[in-house]
Amino acid sequence: DVKVTQSSRYLVKRTGEKVFLECVQDMDHENMFWYRQDPGLGLRLIYFSYDVKMKEKGDIPEGYSVSREKKERFSLILESASTNQTSMYLCASSLPGSENQPQHFGDGTRLSIL
Amino acid sequence: LAKTTQPISMDSYEGQEVNITCSHNNIATNDYITWYQQFPSQGPRFIIQGYKTKVTNEVASLFIPADRKSSTLSLPRVSLSDTAVYYCLVGDGEGGKLIFGQGTELSVKP
């Protein structure tokens, strides 16, 4: 069974801090994704990656960056955290080939920026 | 982009069949339709996927008409544990991104 593990379930940081959210998957999936989820807005794609050292912007990349140095690990970075980045962050992975491959999600990191 | 539209919420009672319809007027030729389920404090979980006509698995059925501009997720005899948010997704055909809509919050009552 695919396991996607996010390093923290809950995280509290201060405005202006640099924040790292880590995600690891154990199924050798090429594709990895970062979403944020907010009430009334559903899930919105921030960044995704189809291979090591490769990244593509999603719908809301502003204020975020990502790192994919190893296939199993995909990190989301908030360069200078702001209060409007308080949200639930979800990582997902999938097999390669096409966008029709089901995505496997972690349980999320609830991030609060004070 | 193939955006989706679903009802924001639905109510049902235990033992009933629930049908959630999703519209996706701009679906691309190669796109599949995928449904996910999400419980509170958990990530979404894949339920079912289809391209056309009907697909059935141990959890649900998916009905897709010939024009593929909509789809219906059918949950037979729901229980309290089926209370969750259900998302309908289609691939946008450009770079592999999936677009999550707002989802349908299903509430199953005893």
Side-chain angles (χ1 to χ4, degrees), chain B residues 80-95:
Chain B
L80 296 176
S81 63
D82 292 316
T83 293
V85 178
Y86 293 83
Y87 293 95
C88 163
L89 282 76
V90 297
D92 70 1
E94 296 179 11

Side-chain angles (χ1 to χ4, degrees), chain B residues 8-48:
Chain B
I8 296 295
S9 63
M10 293 181 70
D11 291 332
S12 182
Y13 290 93
E14 282 191 291
Q16 289 186 333
E17 178 184 75
V18 171
N19 297 308
I20 306 174
T21 298
C22 176
S23 69
H24 26 79
N25 292 322
N26 296 324
I27 188 169
T29 303
N30 295 329
D31 287 343
Y32 279 68
I33 299 153
T34 310
W35 284 80
Y36 288 80
Q37 174 192 56
Q38 185 178 24
F39 297 112
S41 300
Q42 293 185 23
R45 181 176 70 100
F46 170 82
I47 301 176
I48 196 167

Side-chain angles (χ1 to χ4, degrees), chain A residues 75-95:
Chain A
S75 303
L76 180 70
I77 304 157
L78 286 65
E79 296 289 344
S80 178
S82 63
T83 54
N84 63 12
Q85 291 178 310
T86 291
S87 186
M88 168 71 88
Y89 290 87
L90 289 159
C91 174
S93 72
S94 71
L95 288 169

Side-chain angles (χ1 to χ4, degrees), chain B residues 44-106:
Chain B
R45 181 176 70 100
F46 170 82
I47 301 176
I48 196 167
Q49 185 181 74
Y51 184 80
K52 62 181 180 180
T53 61
K54 177 184 175 183
V55 178
T56 297
N57 63 21
E58 64 279 3
V59 176
S61 294
L62 179 59
F63 298 92
I64 305 168
D67 66 6
R68 302 200 331 121
K69 293 184 182 299
S70 67
S71 58
T72 299
L73 175 73
S74 181
L75 304 172
R77 292 186 295 282
V78 295
S79 65
L80 296 176
S81 63
D82 292 316
T83 293
V85 178
Y86 293 83
Y87 293 95
C88 163
L89 282 76
V90 297
D92 70 1
E94 296 179 11
K97 294 188 298 183
L98 292 175
I99 300 174
F100 280 79
Q102 294 190 33
T104 297
E105 187 169 0
L106 173 65

Side-chain angles (χ1 to χ4, degrees), chain A residues 13-56:
Chain A
K13 297 291 182 180
R14 297 205 172 274
T15 303
E17 280 193 71
K18 190 169 185 176
V19 181
F20 294 85
L21 302 183
E22 306 287 348
C23 174
V24 177
Q25 49 93 4
D26 65 358
M27 283 301 292
D28 205 34
H29 285 171
E30 272 76 4
N31 303 341
M32 295 190 76
F33 307 83
W34 274 107
Y35 296 85
R36 63 177 284 177
Q37 184 171 28
D38 301 288
L41 297 177
L43 277 78
R44 293 179 290 167
L45 182 63
I46 305 172
Y47 267 97
F48 58 106
S49 169
Y50 288 146
D51 204 350
V52 174
K53 297 191 185 296
M54 177 272 178
K55 60 184 179 183
E56 292 284 344

